[in-house]
Amino acid sequence: MLFIIFILSRAFAQSPTITVDLNKETGAMKPVWAWFGYDEPNYTYMKDGKKLLTEIAKISPVPVYVRAHSLLVSGDGVAALKWGSTNAYTEDANGNPVYNWKIIDSIFDTYVQRGMKPLAQIGFMPEALSTNPQPYKHDWKPGDPYFKIITGWAYPPKDYNKWAELVFQWVKHSVGRYGKKEVESWYWELWNEPNGYWKGTKEEFFKLYDYTADAVKRALPTAKIGGINIAGTAGKGAQEWLHAFVKHCFSDTNYVTKQIGSPVDMILFHAKGSPKVVDGHVQMNMGTQLRDIHAGFKFVASYPQLKNLPVVIGESDPEGCAACGMKTNPSNGYRNGTMYASYTAASFARKYLLADSFRVNFLGAVTWAFEFEDQPWFYGFRDLATNGVDKPVLNVFRMFGMMKGKRVRVQGSQMYDLKTMVDSSVRRTYNDVGGLAAKDKRSATVMIWNYHDDDVKKDALPVDVTISSIPAGMVTVTEYRIDDEHSNSYEVWKKMGSPQNPTKEQIAVLEKSGQLKTMGSPKKVKVTGGVLNLKISLPQQGVSLLKLDW
């Protein structure tokens, strides 16, 4: 054992290396990251919500898809943690439907005005339709048992035809407001995590799916709808749900048409990690999230009927509760600093590799993080910005937004292989110093991270980067960086004394520090024989993007 440790220490005594060959294409650099979601839909059209959506829309080369819960929930439209409402459906004294699209329109208008697209979640159950409506609005707060949120909105409808008519009228209204071509570009999906958020049986859920899908297609035959956004995808119970869903959609009698099968235009499932506190520090578990993705892609690949359908990881995150802060859940202490950024970089790279290995049509992975309006500064929510100030993790997506064209092969002397990542995450004595690279016609981009599951400070690592097959004799190299000194509003806020009531001048400084920064100025560098050698020093949990232009 001592000999093995000695060999490992010798192997990593030298600088980690990253080798990129621009001639070795591995697939399209699809912007699978350009998908986001959140629990509280009413934040969408509020001040900081609009500001953040504008930022997200700007960084993506393609329209960003946005998913939100509670779009059909009854209420006054006032947001709370893990709660939202639109009051789209009520009934008059005689039990006749009353439709009100005002709040839903405010949400979807905000998306469409920014060139974004809804991943429109059809749910949850309006109070007037619920078979068990009381209590309806929950009073959950951080620290409470999670499933206290499950109230009257989670039950089946007392009238499936009224539910179907609600869905039909919503889709019809959307076509009238935004146009057929626009709504054809959206995706529709029913509910969220039916193995937790649904208080009916599997068969009742599949019945609801049939009524929902039929209503969507009647309103717009070319609309796209899918399911089922299951939680804990690698688990036995979730797998039973997934296989039962496929059986229902392709083999069972439809509850509405009485024919065999139900339309399914995309497959969605969830993937979450599992951090914990170990010896006084946060220890992430990317492997748990990657095993969910592995299981989901394997499930899709096992059915010829699903092989070519778009696959969306409907929620894809380091753990499961965005609104649980780090004060009530210390394991969420990764969220404000650079660990969330390096985790995001390293995990998305493996999502691409898993999709490649199963040859599935991987369309997107929804990062379940947004913002929480009028909450304490850097409270430790899983969000992209706090009080209008961007957090370090958003800058990873800014980096992704610059990566275009074709993915190319990356090899790293200290980059964990995919099987190890899925099986056991990053738990060895050495860090995951890895990369993701892409090339376009006159540019190339290389993202490099220095990640470990254990949030323990270590010295920065010198990384030797070799990029070959460059079709130019001279390139301009720009290095973008996320670390304690760059693109990091959280560290700047702490140096201010962690103010909960910062001045206008302080807020301006924080807003500027939340933007993506470079390491110095761009440099013109000579390329010899199509090869460029670079050296960077990358801190623990840091992320760099090297951009080459010629």
Side-chain angles (χ1 to χ4, degrees):
M1 179 61 74
L2 288 174
F3 178 72
I4 294 172
I5 293 173
F6 175 74
I7 292 295
L8 282 172
S9 65
R10 285 285 302 274
F12 297 117
Q14 297 178 337
S15 299
T17 62
I18 295 290
T19 305
V20 179
D21 187 340
L22 299 185
N23 275 347
K24 301 290 186 182
E25 296 181 3
T26 59
M29 186 65 212
K30 293 168 66 175
V32 298
W33 54 269
W35 299 66
F36 296 89
Y38 43 99
D39 290 80
E40 301 85 359
N42 305 100
Y43 289 158
T44 303
Y45 48 79
M46 296 174 74
K47 173 176 62 70
D48 290 336
K50 283 186 172 182
K51 182 178 181 182
L52 180 55
L53 287 168
T54 298
E55 289 292 312
I56 294 171
K58 282 181 180 177
I59 65 181
S60 177
V62 299
V64 172
Y65 280 85
V66 189
R67 177 176 183 251
H69 291 338
S70 303
L71 293 176
L72 294 178
V73 167
S74 303
D76 57 10
V78 176
L81 296 180
K82 298 197 72 66
W83 177 261
S85 59
T86 67
N87 225 37
Y89 180 94
T90 53
E91 292 181 356
D92 64 20
N94 296 318
N96 298 311
V98 178
Y99 304 110
N100 184 343
W101 309 116
K102 182 179 179 180
I103 294 178
I104 285 183
D105 287 347
S106 295
I107 294 167
F108 282 15
D109 285 356
T110 304
Y111 300 154
V112 172
Q113 288 163 5
R114 287 159 177 77
M116 305 171 108
K117 309 284 184 182
L119 171 52
Q121 184 185 128
I122 302 173
F124 298 112
M125 195 57 60
E127 186 173 8
L129 281 179
S130 175
T131 52
N132 190 16
Q134 297 303 323
Y136 193 75
K137 183 178 180 180
H138 67 70
D139 59 357
W140 180 91
K141 61 184 183 301
D144 286 349
Y146 184 82
F147 280 100
K148 188 179 180 181
I149 69 171
I150 306 296
T151 52
W153 54 262
Y155 286 82
K158 60 186 181 184
D159 187 323
Y160 283 84
N161 287 313
K162 282 187 175 181
W163 166 266
E165 186 64 18
L166 165 61
V167 174
F168 173 82
Q169 292 295 336
W170 182 15
V171 178
K172 181 181 175 182
H173 169 80
S174 299
V175 172
R177 186 174 184 86
Y178 304 106
K180 178 172 178 284
K181 183 178 180 181
E182 173 63 31
V183 180
E184 283 176 334
S185 70
W186 301 359
Y187 290 94
W188 300 81
E189 52 96 7
L190 174 65
W191 222 256
N192 177 67
E193 298 182 354
N195 54 343
Y197 278 53
W198 173 249
K199 296 296 288 184
T201 65
K202 280 192 186 75
E203 287 307 313
E204 286 173 322
F205 184 79
F206 297 153
K207 181 178 180 179
L208 191 76
Y209 184 84
D210 288 352
Y211 275 85
T212 303
D214 181 76
V216 169
K217 298 285 188 177
R218 281 191 291 113
L220 180 62
T222 49
K224 296 171 286 192
I225 185 169
I228 57 175
N229 270 313
I230 207 74
T233 302
K236 181 181 177 182
Q239 287 291 307
E240 289 174 353
W241 267 94
L242 286 167
H243 289 288
F245 178 67
V246 170
K247 178 179 179 295
H248 178 76
C249 289
F250 292 97
S251 303
D252 291 348
T253 301
N254 188 294
Y255 282 94
V256 180
T257 67
K258 309 305 179 186
Q259 304 298 311
I260 297 298
S262 196
V264 54
D265 302 311
M266 68 189 307
I267 296 293
L268 306 99
F269 59 85
H270 292 180
K272 304 284 185 175
S274 182
K276 60 183 178 180
V277 175
V278 177
D279 297 330
H281 70 268
V282 175
Q283 183 184 78
M284 308 298 282
N285 192 342
M286 193 184 299
T288 302
Q289 183 182 2
L290 295 178
R291 286 191 291 276
D292 276 343
I293 299 171
H294 183 279
F297 286 167
K298 183 179 180 180
F299 156 76
V300 170
S302 70
Y303 286 96
Q305 307 99 309
L306 306 182
K307 187 77 175 181
N308 296 316
L309 288 184
V311 180
V312 173
I313 309 171
E315 295 179 22
S316 189
D317 306 289
E319 39 63 45
C321 179
C324 299
M326 61 190 187
K327 289 185 179 179
T328 55
N329 299 71
S331 60
N332 293 336
Y334 72 90
R335 292 170 165 181
N336 287 329
T338 58
M339 181 167 232
Y340 191 8
S342 62
Y343 181 104
T344 299
S347 61
F348 265 94
R350 272 63 186 217
K351 293 171 194 177
Y352 283 108
L353 294 176
L354 283 168
D356 291 345
S357 68
F358 285 104
R359 298 181 180 179
V360 295
N361 181 14
F362 180 30
L363 186 64
V366 179
T367 294
W368 204 256
F370 188 50
E371 64 95 18
F372 291 84
E373 205 86 16
D374 299 322
Q375 295 290 337
W377 285 81
F378 294 100
Y379 186 73
F381 291 127
R382 187 178 351 108
D383 48 14
L384 306 173
T386 176
N387 290 280
V389 169
D390 298 339
K391 294 169 72 171
V393 66
L394 185 57
N395 286 308
V396 173
F397 296 105
R398 289 193 171 101
M399 289 179 172
F400 280 135
M402 288 187 270
M403 302 185 75
K404 301 170 185 176
K406 297 288 187 179
R407 283 182 290 122
V408 295
R409 189 176 70 185
V410 178
Q411 294 176 304
S413 65
Q414 207 168 307
M415 184 174 179
Y416 282 54
D417 65 86
L418 181 60
K419 185 177 187 303
T420 299
M421 292 292 292
V422 173
D423 290 346
S424 54
S425 198
V426 183
R427 298 293 172 83
R428 297 180 181 179
T429 55
Y430 60 94
N431 289 10
D432 176 47
V433 181
L436 177 70
K439 69 168 184 180
D440 212 355
K441 292 181 180 179
R442 300 182 64 83
S443 66
T445 44
V446 183
M447 181 185 286
I448 304 170
W449 55 85
N450 177 9
Y451 173 79
H452 199 280
D453 276 355
D454 288 301
D455 195 14
V456 177
K457 284 292 183 184
K458 297 180 182 177
D459 293 338
L461 289 173
V463 184
D464 294 328
V465 184
T466 301
I467 306 168
S468 61
S469 305
I470 300 172
M474 187 76 68
V475 295
T476 299
V477 179
T478 308
E479 182 183 1
Y480 298 88
R481 171 65 67 83
I482 304 167
D483 59 24
D484 283 354
E485 303 296 327
H486 302 84
S487 318
N488 193 328
S489 59
Y490 182 53
E491 290 297 323
V492 173
W493 179 73
K494 287 195 295 183
K495 289 174 183 176
M496 289 178 175
S498 305
Q500 279 301 329
N501 293 290
T503 65
K504 287 184 178 179
E505 291 75 16
Q506 287 176 318
I507 291 173
V509 170
L510 290 170
E511 287 178 329
K512 186 176 180 181
S513 66
Q515 299 298 304
L516 183 60
K517 298 294 193 300
T518 62
M519 294 282 286
S521 302
K523 296 179 175 62
K524 286 191 175 295
V525 182
K526 186 178 180 181
V527 177
T528 304
V531 178
L532 179 65
N533 293 301
L534 300 168
K535 290 182 181 290
I536 65 172
S537 177
L538 195 56
Q540 172 95 350
Q541 313 301 2
V543 185
S544 274
L545 182 78
L546 301 173
K547 188 170 189 296
L548 282 58
D549 293 286
W550 59 83

